[in-house]
Amino acid sequence: MTESLFARPRIRISGDRAFLVEYGDAIDERINEKVRAMTELLRKASPEGVDLILPAYRSIGIMYDPLKTSHHKICAILNDLEAHMGEMVIPEPRTVDIPVCYGGQYGPDIEFVAAHNHLSVDEVIRIHTAGPYRIYTIGFAPGFFYLGGLDPQLHTPRMETPRTMVPAGSVGIAETQTGAYPLDSPGGWRVIGRTPIKLFDAGRKDPFLYQAGDSIRFKAISPEEYERMAKGENI
Amino acid sequence: MTEMFLVHSPGPYTTVQDNGRFGYVHMGVPVSGALDEFAYTCANLLVGNTENRPALEITFTGPHLEAMGDADIALTGADMDFTINGEAAGQWRTIRVKQGDSLHINPAHTGCRSYLAVTGGILVPEVMGSCSTYVSGKIGGISGRAIRTDDMLARGEGEPLKKSRQMPWFPLYAPDIHVRAVPGPQEEYFRQGMDIFFSEPYTVTDKANRMGYRLEGPEVFREAGAPQSIISEPSIHGNVQVPPDGRPIVLMAEQTVGGYAKIATVITPDLFRIAQARPGDRIRFHRVTLEEAHGMYNQWVTCKKDIHHFLQTEINS
């Protein structure tokens, strides 16, 4: 799975104050490790004129002030930092448990996912909670994680007609991906359960519970536990 | 806290915006902020605020507001027939309002968004480092939403100006819009499509909001063999993405990650022209190199500094 890691990063210009640095052309743990390591090194180095550092699956987006620096200068710094990759100790990724009440009113599509894959509902839950799933990147909506590693036994097509409203906390499957909705939003994922915890809460000291590079493990809970946790909301 | 405006009617989409929320883009929280950063900044300078005080961003047509106290205000951006107590009030200049004044901001003749700044700025709590309203995320501004009838808007601390200020010039917004763009990030997906994109006009559809502007026009072809989508990557205000249907979408301020290939990126000094584009307007994209774009960026920053300086000197009375 490592043949797609580039020998030298590829630079893509994204307008007059941003560019992308690509480290490979696949969704792959090793490429993502490199993205994470270079993001950490660049954040520590905090070069003059760099405004934002945005890690994704296989690339880093860098926004800069063209009056203070240039993409050539930043690329030279990245090149120097590569030499320090070996010395760099990447913090061990955390595993964050997300409690999920599967099926019933919280997971209206779990029977569909089971039938589509010739499984029982209990098997769907068992496979989905096996995890853990790596967070490759966060984006699209606050706290929306893109996870790797959904078991092929659970791959299920999106809904033909998306729902106009999927409640916040819903956990679903779309094709080869699994994920969760941090906010109420329209969407076409097959919803198999819901978490009572708030994935994004601007009022909380830390609005987010995880970051890119961490892993997510889904833990099955009963409807009673769901109700209790939804009321208490202490995490 | 000083009560400033009582909202009698809100307009279709009026939100509190500042220059954006930059700390959490890597967590999926978009920058947001005033789409037309130039008009927003001028509005603040015209009332003597530091450049970044929350103002109202008004879309297509404006609210009806009642002044609850005395202060300076300025309305910039789209040309919106602004009246106070029924009298034409003018834009791009300082106006003193008094308690009880009735402000009407009417449908735009040209442009799409106007900015109403007030002495001290609109007072709302800062959320995650910014006062900008991000409606889909329900954060910032007034309870994370557009303003409503009966909202009471407060203003921050600040003294009215001794002399009123007026812009030496201001942009005019026309239905034929020209913007400059740098090819990329995925220029090699679109060799033939690139020539079409940079030679034909594209019409703004009614699917145009703070997330993005869908355009209609000649199909932008992808090269044979170029994939329909890419591995999701960070997106930037001004990126022009092309989904499989070949109809370009200009990404705006409420977008963080995207999985469609991007043919080009509108340069920073021209982003306000997109922000002021209305459905039915035609946009022509002109190709520039990154080096040319940086020269233009430099001129743009100089021009903004000149305006800043001009508005703060005594000559301008």
Side-chain angles (χ1 to χ4, degrees):
Chain A
M1 285 288 283
T2 57
E3 69 277 11
S4 44
L5 184 68
F6 295 155
R8 294 189 63 78
R10 174 173 186 157
I11 306 303
R12 291 183 177 276
I13 300 302
S14 190
D16 55 10
R17 49 183 181 145
F19 64 98
L20 299 157
V21 189
E22 282 179 5
Y23 290 98
D25 57 5
I27 296 175
D28 175 280
E29 287 218 6
R30 202 173 124 183
I31 298 168
N32 194 247
E33 282 295 329
K34 176 123 189 194
V35 165
R36 236 179 106 217
M38 292 309 291
T39 300
E40 280 302 308
L41 286 169
L42 194 60
R43 282 200 178 130
K44 286 217 176 79
S46 72
E48 152 113 38
V50 171
D51 295 330
L52 286 179
I53 302 166
L54 308 169
Y57 280 106
R58 48 81 179 254
S59 58
I60 306 177
I62 297 174
M63 287 198 75
Y64 64 96
D65 179 347
L67 298 184
K68 292 184 185 152
T69 187
S70 69
H71 75 283
H72 294 298
K73 276 190 198 160
I74 301 166
C75 287
I77 293 166
L78 282 171
N79 202 31
D80 292 344
L81 290 175
E82 291 251 359
H84 297 282
M85 278 276 291
E87 307 154 27
M88 166 91 193
V89 185
I90 308 178
E92 267 304 297
R94 293 179 306 158
T95 298
V96 178
D97 286 334
I98 302 222
V100 177
C101 182
Y102 286 93
Q105 57 164 316
Y106 301 122
D109 301 329
I110 200 163
E111 279 90 5
F112 181 92
V113 172
H116 180 81
N117 292 294
H118 311 292
L119 299 167
S120 70
V121 164
D122 282 348
E123 283 169 322
V124 170
I125 297 171
R126 185 180 52 76
I127 298 167
H128 194 256
T129 51
Y133 304 92
R134 180 191 182 81
I135 303 178
Y136 276 102
T137 186
I138 295 172
F140 172 69
F144 183 89
F145 42 65
Y146 291 85
L147 301 178
L150 179 64
D151 192 311
Q153 293 183 83
L154 294 183
H155 292 183
T156 312
R158 285 182 167 79
M159 300 179 74
E160 278 162 32
T161 309
R163 291 188 172 91
T164 51
M165 214 285 281
V166 180
S170 293
V171 172
I173 289 174
E175 322 293 344
T176 62
Q177 292 191 83
T178 184
Y181 289 87
L183 300 167
D184 293 346
S185 59
W189 291 43
R190 304 283 177 180
V191 176
I192 59 171
R194 199 188 303 170
T195 178
I197 64 177
K198 284 186 181 168
L199 301 174
F200 164 62
D201 182 354
R204 198 160 54 200
K205 185 162 167 273
D206 187 352
F208 304 97
L209 307 170
Y210 39 76
Q211 57 180 343
D214 289 346
S215 290
I216 295 290
R217 193 165 42 204
F218 297 109
K219 283 183 67 181
I221 56 169
S222 67
E224 294 71 35
E225 285 173 294
Y226 180 99
E227 293 303 333
R228 195 164 46 74
M229 292 179 77
K231 279 192 199 112
E233 244 288 80
N234 45 0
I235 38 156
Chain B
M1 192 189 84
T2 314
E3 290 185 345
M4 187 58 220
F5 296 120
L6 176 61
V7 179
H8 286 302
S9 75
Y13 197 77
T14 303
T15 56
V16 177
Q17 297 294 340
D18 61 15
N19 74 349
R21 184 175 284 111
F22 291 90
Y24 297 89
V25 181
H26 65 290
M27 296 304 293
V29 182
V31 173
S32 308
L35 279 200
D36 181 344
E37 186 243 344
F38 179 76
Y40 161 77
T41 302
C42 292
N44 267 323
L45 291 172
L46 287 165
V47 298
N49 289 342
T50 60
E51 281 180 55
N52 189 28
R53 288 297 180 91
L56 293 180
E57 180 177 276
I58 295 159
T59 317
F60 293 119
T61 183
H64 171 204
L65 306 171
E66 181 183 337
M68 307 304 287
D70 299 2
D72 285 331
I73 61 160
L75 185 72
T76 61
D79 170 13
M80 281 191 175
D81 264 352
F82 176 35
T83 66
I84 296 178
N85 304 328
E87 305 270 328
Q91 292 182 234
W92 298 95
R93 64 187 188 85
T94 318
I95 296 165
R96 178 69 51 86
V97 292
K98 304 225 173 311
Q99 185 174 359
D101 280 352
S102 173
L103 287 66
H104 278 272
I105 300 167
N106 295 302
H109 294 293
T110 61
C112 176
R113 292 182 168 80
S114 68
Y115 294 86
L116 183 72
V118 61
T119 307
I122 304 284
L123 190 68
V124 293
E126 204 176 272
V127 180
M128 299 169 81
S130 165
C131 295
S132 281
T133 316
Y134 168 41
V135 171
S136 332
K138 298 185 186 136
I139 59 169
I142 308 286
S143 310
R145 57 167 172 80
I147 68 166
R148 287 181 192 152
T149 301
D150 295 335
D151 277 346
M152 178 64 79
L153 308 179
R155 71 172 178 87
E157 304 262 317
E159 290 301 311
L161 295 170
K162 294 196 174 66
K163 284 180 171 175
S164 70
R165 297 174 175 182
Q166 189 164 356
M167 287 286 287
W169 58 269
F170 50 83
L172 297 174
Y173 314 113
D176 283 296
I177 296 160
H178 294 261
V179 299
R180 296 157 294 185
V182 181
Q186 279 85 30
E187 63 270 37
E188 82 275 18
Y189 284 43
F190 306 97
R191 281 195 205 95
Q192 196 194 345
M194 191 72 76
D195 293 336
I196 297 168
F197 178 73
F198 279 119
S199 58
E200 302 289 336
Y202 285 85
T203 306
V204 178
T205 67
D206 57 6
K207 292 188 178 64
N209 55 35
R210 291 176 47 81
M211 272 182 87
Y213 276 51
R214 280 178 183 270
L215 309 180
E216 212 151 297
E219 184 178 344
V220 177
F221 296 105
R222 268 192 318 281
E223 294 299 300
Q228 291 221 332
S229 58
I230 56 171
I231 299 172
S232 291
E233 66 182 21
S235 55
I236 299 296
H237 187 176
N239 278 154
V240 184
Q241 72 176 23
V242 182
D245 68 4
R247 311 251 176 274
I249 301 170
V250 187
L251 301 182
M252 303 300 279
E254 289 184 2
Q255 193 83 251
T256 60
V257 163
Y260 292 121
K262 298 160 195 110
I263 186 169
T265 307
V266 177
I267 66 170
T268 305
D270 289 354
L271 289 175
F272 82 89
R273 298 188 189 281
I274 308 276
Q276 293 295 354
R278 303 149 61 106
D281 286 357
R282 287 163 304 280
I283 301 179
R284 269 181 191 276
F285 295 90
H286 299 275
R287 182 178 189 149
V288 294
T289 65
L290 182 60
E291 291 67 32
E292 289 166 337
H294 282 157
M296 291 157 187
Y297 185 91
N298 248 309
Q299 288 171 6
W300 176 240
V301 171
T302 307
C303 157
K304 288 198 293 185
K305 276 186 189 152
D306 287 348
I307 287 172
H308 198 143
H309 182 72
F310 175 87
L311 290 177
Q312 292 191 323
T313 52
E314 286 297 304
I315 310 158
N316 180 44
S317 52

